[in-house]
Every structure is written in structure tokens, then in C-alpha cells.
Amino acid sequence: MPAPDFGGLPAYAELQCASNFSFLRGASHADDIAARAAQLGYAAIAVTDECSLAGVVRAHIEAKSARIPFIVGSEFALTNADGSHALRFTALAMTREGYGNLSELITLARMRADKGRYRLATRDLDHPEASQGHLKGLPDCIAILIPEYPANETRLDAQLEWFAATFGERAWVALTLHARAMDDLHRGAIERTAARHAVPVVATGAPVMHVRSRKPLQDVLTAIRLRRPVAECGYDLAPNAEQHLRSRLRLANLYPARALAETVEIARRCTFSLDELRYEYPDELVPEGFTPEAYLRQETYIGAHRRWPAGIPHKVQAQIEHELALIADLNYEPYFLTVYDIVRFARNEGILC
């Protein structure tokens, strides 16, 4: 699919987007979001559901088909030590290592809470426990602070101080403009505070739907989440339909050029692709000092000697060598060692296997 020609409009990458996997918040499928971003000529698209990577595979497949770079990310709400709300931010995986760290952070947060919820604190990122020390600052991930609307400059100042100290040069602050009454005040507070902390400002649309015609559906989702009829939701409903993937002309008329340029700079840094992933078996399957091939060979012959204590028949030995060679050609040793580990555990526990 050839890229549309949009003349001299500034390039833009959407870095903060919720799909329907952000339950009762997003009103579009992840693949629809990727397809629409490509139609609009975006430089890249990220799907950042809250504490979830559930939509990224569908978005990745569609993005490949539409030939638009796809960025894996997620959004988080952090609490203070006393349980009060601290801030919200979006994390984007820059590399495969960053993707692993992001996935582990999501797992950590989800395992602490009941199904459908999560719990994550600022200390998990600035002073994590020893077992999660490698997650300090969420290495190899871009972090984008999401200010409250309208931004309270004093509160934002404290948030950005922590944010910059925790994420360093990987920290940005989002400027999200939805044609609301206090947009100018919001923008001014963000730009002044960001300048004081030397944190760059990046434009985000924070869409929850791929086209504006999904607004009635999004209203219904909001009403369900609030457990009220739509007619009784009042100001809890979005005041307009601006939270969709907007045209680059519309974005160019709303946002400062520098903030738009930062979206492309962040997208350039996020080189990770889900195509890089392959299943990896646990390292602990193989004792120290062994390769998977050597350990499988050893355990195979130990088992064969147990089966034929008087000596392994020549025909059986030839079959073993043939199968070990085939397994080696396919690099399947870890798979067979995994099955062996399961069977050995079951037998030790008296489980029929």
C-alpha cells in the first residue's frame, strides 16, 4: 500500500492510543486503529492499552499489512507510598530488552491485584525491591508523562521532578489538546514546567476510537463503566469527539511544530518489532556446564541403560543417534528437555504420566 501524499504537512506519530482492550474505555479494535493511522499518513502508530499488551498482536499484523511502523506500549497509573494517586504515564518499548522489561512490569502489577485490576507504585520504578532491581527506571523504554487536565503547575512541577530523575533522557511530557475550554492554560502550564526541568514536550492525541463516528459507542462504554444511563452521565462524557485519530492538517493547526516533531523522534528510537520474538525455553532446564545437546544426549543414554541394563541393542542405539541428530538439526533439544522435566516432576510427585 503506497503512502498517501500529504504535501508539506508535518509528520506525526500517534504514541498514546487505547483500543477496546482498555475495557469500557476504548471504542475501536486495535487493527482498525493501525489501518486508520496508515490511511491518514501517520509516521507510526502505538497501541498503549492500560497495563496490558492484549491488542498489540492484532495491531502489529495490520500495521505490517498497511506498511506503517508499529510501536508496542502501555499506559500506567502509579500510586504513592500511602496509596494516593501519583501520576499517569505511557511506556514505549525501544528494543527487545525494553519489551521484556515492559512485559515484566505489567506482570508484576497484575499479580498484585485481583483480576481486572493492577497495582503499581512510584517505588517500583525509582527504588524497586532487589528481585526487580533490573526494572529501575524501566530501561530501554521511552516514558511519557500524562498531565492531568487542566494541568496544575505546582503538582506537575513535582511530578516532572520525579519523572526526570527516574527516566532521565528517556522522559517526555505529553501535550494533549482536544479543543476544550482550558486548552491554552493547559498548554502554557505544561510548556513552562517542562522548560524548567528540561523535559521535551511531545504531542499526543490520546485517541480512544479510530474515527469520530464511534463517539456514541464510546459514550455507551463510559455509561456502562459508571453504571448510569447515558442521559445521566453529564460531564463524565467526553465533551466532543476529538479523541479519534485526527488528520495531520487538523493536528498541524493545533500543536506546536516542535511537539509534532518530537513524536517522530520518539518513533525513530522505538525500533523493536514483535517479529523479533521467538519462543525461548528456560535456562534452568540445562545444568551449568552443559549445552542442551550434551545434556539431552546424557539423559537419553541414562534412560536407555535403565531400560536395557544388559546393554543397549545396536539397532536401538542407531535409532537414538538418528533421532538425536534430527533434533540437533532442528534445534529442538530445549523442547524435549522441557517434556523430560515435566515427566520427571510428575513421577517424583506420584502423578500418573
Side-chain angles (χ1 to χ4, degrees):
M1 171 179 167
D5 182 7
F6 290 90
L9 291 175
Y12 177 74
E14 183 53 69
L15 305 174
Q16 182 189 339
C17 191
S19 77
N20 61 321
F21 284 104
S22 289
F23 191 53
L24 298 181
R25 182 176 159 218
S28 292
H29 296 289
D31 47 343
D32 289 336
I33 290 167
R36 181 59 176 163
Q39 291 171 1
L40 293 170
Y42 283 14
I45 182 69
V47 168
T48 58
D49 289 305
E50 187 164 1
C51 198
S52 174
L53 297 176
V56 300
V57 173
R58 295 183 187 187
H60 166 72
I61 293 171
E62 181 58 39
K64 281 184 66 177
S65 175
R67 299 181 184 178
I68 179 173
F70 176 65
I71 302 169
V72 175
S74 189
E75 183 179 321
F76 301 94
L78 300 183
T79 60
N80 295 309
D82 61 2
S84 61
H85 175 73
L87 56 86
R88 297 186 73 89
F89 81 102
T90 294
L92 304 173
M94 300 168 67
T95 64
R96 183 174 178 178
E97 183 70 19
Y99 171 78
N101 291 334
L102 179 60
S103 300
E104 189 171 348
L105 186 68
I106 291 172
T107 301
L108 175 68
R110 290 290 184 184
M111 289 183 68
R112 288 174 171 169
D114 295 334
K115 185 176 180 180
R117 301 178 181 274
Y118 70 96
R119 189 167 72 251
L120 205 61
T122 53
R123 65 176 179 272
D124 293 315
L125 293 168
D126 60 6
H127 291 93
E129 296 179 4
S131 58
Q132 279 88 43
H134 56 287
L135 295 179
K136 183 175 182 180
L138 203 58
D140 282 352
C141 288
I142 296 289
I144 303 174
L145 177 66
I146 305 172
E148 298 165 356
Y149 184 90
N152 178 301
E153 200 161 338
T154 301
R155 181 167 172 76
L156 182 58
D157 195 73
Q159 290 174 336
L160 266 179
E161 182 178 4
W162 178 87
F163 207 72
T166 302
F167 298 107
E169 64 177 12
R170 293 176 290 109
W172 270 261
V173 57
L175 173 62
T176 306
L177 302 175
H178 287 151
R180 292 170 289 187
M182 303 185 75
D183 277 3
D184 288 342
L185 293 175
H186 181 67
R187 174 179 168 178
I190 289 174
E191 290 178 338
R192 287 190 298 271
T193 311
R196 284 197 296 272
H197 294 276
V199 174
V201 176
V202 61
T204 66
V208 293
M209 46 196 172
H210 70 297
V211 290
R212 68 183 309 121
S213 58
R214 288 291 177 95
K215 178 63 162 64
L217 173 60
Q218 212 275 325
D219 287 347
V220 171
L221 295 175
T222 301
I224 294 171
R225 188 176 72 246
L226 298 176
R227 300 186 178 185
R228 299 203 301 265
V230 172
E232 295 178 10
C233 288
Y235 289 116
D236 288 320
L237 299 178
N240 55 41
E242 287 292 289
Q243 280 187 275
H244 69 283
L245 293 173
R246 293 172 288 184
S247 72
R248 286 168 54 199
L249 176 60
R250 173 71 170 152
L251 295 168
N253 288 330
L254 282 175
Y255 289 94
R258 183 66 254 171
L260 294 172
E262 291 293 337
T263 69
V264 182
E265 172 59 21
I266 290 175
R268 184 189 66 80
R269 295 191 186 192
C270 295
T271 59
F272 169 73
S273 168
L274 288 176
D275 287 335
E276 298 176 37
L277 300 181
R278 298 290 184 274
Y279 186 79
E280 296 180 3
Y281 289 88
D283 293 335
E284 58 266 25
L285 289 172
V286 182
E288 189 174 349
F290 282 87
T291 64
E293 183 178 5
Y295 185 54
L296 179 61
R297 173 176 291 276
Q298 171 188 284
E299 296 303 297
T300 299
Y301 274 101
I302 289 174
H305 280 295
R306 190 182 303 118
R307 173 68 177 80
W308 290 282
I312 304 172
H314 177 74
K315 183 177 180 180
V316 173
Q317 188 168 345
Q319 182 67 25
I320 289 174
E321 288 299 324
H322 172 74
E323 294 186 8
L324 286 175
L326 179 60
I327 291 168
D329 286 342
L330 298 172
N331 293 317
Y332 276 4
E333 291 92 348
Y335 167 75
F336 285 94
L337 289 172
T338 299
V339 175
Y340 170 62
D341 192 53
I342 293 170
V343 171
R344 183 172 55 179
F345 172 81
R347 288 177 176 172
N348 288 341
E349 297 296 319
I351 301 171
L352 180 62
C353 186

